[in-house]
Amino acid sequence: MTFAATVLTLYPEMFPGPLGLSLAGRALAEGRWSLDTVQIRDFATDKHRSVDDTPAGGGAGMVLRADVVAAAFDSVADARPAIALTPRGSPLTQARVRDLAAGPGVVLLCGRFEGFDERLFEARAIEPVSIGDYILSGGEMGALALLDACIRLLPGVMGAPSSGDDESFETGLLEYPHYTRPVEWEGRTIPEVLRSGDHAKIAAWRKAMAASDTRLRRPDLWERHEGARVGSPSGARRPEGR
């Protein structure tokens, strides 16, 4: 089954962009996924092809019109999940990416200006999603990031089926640090345990480093990981150390 992506945007020339290169580009050429773009402006109804208007209640910037965006969306809507890239959305997680990659594809709406008229989400089954706590010029970069995250998980794209199993966020922790040749570089050597050939010790070291780095760099992830680890099947917390 081909993973079918449709992107609604004011800048269709931004696609496939980097997704036309490397693993994603090869997978696109091999037909493992497909990409269509829809120019939202084509669904404007006035002579100026307007897609936005001033905010109700006043304020700076412009807002994407619900009627125009909905018409563009309705032209492609099907059984695939629909996602709008907006900083007001729920954070994108690796678990959500895996769910999307296992499905038939996705319809992506790229926000611009001050965002979407909120009535769009009331009238259509569109999920608002954010790729991070920062502001971009538009949703296109978010759409590229979301698609890249999905495409690399498609069967045959990464090669070995287990290639992504130990990566950051897959187990609730950051990934352990990596090393490669040369053994010594600028006076720094690869940790001895990684050169020992003892697979049990290597696995234990990697697990410990993943925990340590997550605790130091992402205390939010560490807190969620620990909460899940010590939680009972009923959801109650067990005392630490038991």
Side-chain angles (χ1 to χ4, degrees):
M1 179 179 67
T2 298
F3 181 89
T6 301
V7 181
L8 283 67
T9 172
L10 294 173
Y11 298 97
E13 59 273 20
M14 293 181 68
F15 298 87
L19 298 179
L21 305 171
S22 189
L23 292 176
R26 184 166 65 246
L28 182 61
E30 293 172 349
R32 297 183 187 276
W33 71 288
S34 65
L35 174 66
D36 292 308
T37 57
V38 174
Q39 170 57 268
I40 296 173
R41 199 174 296 279
D42 289 343
F43 295 83
T45 56
D46 66 331
K47 65 179 182 179
H48 301 295
R49 303 180 74 205
S50 302
V51 298
D52 57 346
D53 211 327
T54 55
M62 303 290 280
V63 177
L64 285 168
R65 291 174 47 154
D67 57 342
V68 176
V69 178
F73 173 71
D74 290 345
S75 74
V76 298
D78 53 24
R80 291 172 295 169
I83 289 177
L85 281 305
T86 166
R88 296 190 66 248
S90 301
L92 181 65
T93 65
Q94 188 66 15
R96 185 70 179 108
V97 167
R98 281 204 170 274
D99 287 342
L100 291 170
V106 66
V107 177
L108 300 177
L109 286 76
C110 300
R112 279 275 158 176
F113 316 121
E114 294 302 310
F116 301 96
D117 184 315
E118 190 66 17
R119 291 173 294 179
L120 178 69
F121 303 109
E122 297 169 1
R124 300 291 187 275
I126 300 171
E127 175 188 359
V129 167
S130 169
I131 65 164
D133 295 342
Y134 45 85
I135 305 299
L136 299 171
S137 299
E140 287 77 13
M141 297 300 291
L144 290 167
L146 186 151
L147 286 175
D148 183 77
C150 290
I151 293 161
R152 61 191 301 277
L153 297 181
L154 300 178
V157 173
M158 281 197 294
S162 61
S163 294
D165 289 353
D166 290 331
E167 293 180 325
S168 294
F169 314 116
E170 289 292 352
T171 62
L173 300 173
L174 298 180
E175 191 176 6
Y176 50 80
H178 291 280
Y179 299 85
T180 189
R181 290 186 293 247
V183 172
E184 182 175 341
W185 174 72
E186 293 191 352
R188 297 167 174 83
T189 59
I190 295 174
E192 184 177 352
V193 64
L194 298 180
R195 297 178 279 128
S196 69
D198 188 322
H199 297 296
K201 288 183 178 180
I202 291 171
W205 180 88
R206 286 174 169 170
K207 182 177 180 180
M209 291 301 298
S212 175
D213 285 353
T214 303
R215 190 166 54 242
L216 176 66
R217 301 178 184 180
R218 289 292 304 273
D220 57 320
L221 283 181
W222 178 252
E223 184 176 350
R224 288 200 297 271
H225 173 74
E226 284 296 276
R229 187 177 68 84
V230 303
S232 72
S234 66
R237 290 290 298 272
R238 293 197 299 269
E240 295 287 349
R242 295 189 181 180

